[in-house]
Amino acid sequence: MEIYYFSGTGNSLYIAKELQKRIPEINLIPIVSLLKKDNIETNAKTVGFVFPIHRMTIPIPVKKFLKKLYLKSASYIFAIAT
């Protein structure tokens, strides 16, 4: 299981870490660490996203990340917006 997170103030990171405490096999991945890649692939069956809401929408880095992401094997996808 992978959770990609974006956090400016730490609130979304806190939520991601709390999930990891309850489900230890979660791999937390910061979205900003992947933004320079042209393509992003995952082989995880379960993929989650944790991010804040900025001005009634998702943050620009999250939008850029999602455009590059290829979820080839994911059978369950979820998002938590803070």
Side-chain angles (χ1 to χ4, degrees):
M1 174 187 269
E2 294 180 341
I3 292 185
Y4 297 92
Y5 70 90
F6 176 78
S7 188
T9 62
N11 293 333
S12 295
L13 176 58
Y14 175 81
I15 298 295
K17 286 183 176 181
E18 286 297 310
L19 286 169
Q20 190 178 44
K21 284 181 189 176
R22 289 160 175 78
I23 309 169
E25 61 270 11
I26 289 176
N27 185 19
L28 295 181
I29 304 165
I31 287 174
V32 294
S33 70
L34 301 172
L35 289 177
K36 291 184 180 181
K37 291 187 172 192
D38 292 329
N39 297 305
I40 304 163
E41 288 189 35
T42 181
N43 292 323
K45 297 285 184 204
T46 302
V47 178
F49 306 96
V50 180
F51 53 85
I53 296 295
H54 290 172
R55 297 183 182 187
M56 306 286 276
T57 190
I58 64 176
I60 292 171
V62 177
K63 287 180 186 179
K64 289 180 180 179
F65 166 78
L66 291 174
K67 287 180 182 178
K68 298 177 182 184
L69 183 62
Y70 180 61
L71 299 167
K72 83 182 198 185
S73 65
S75 58
Y76 185 77
I77 303 167
F78 68 94
I80 299 173
T82 61

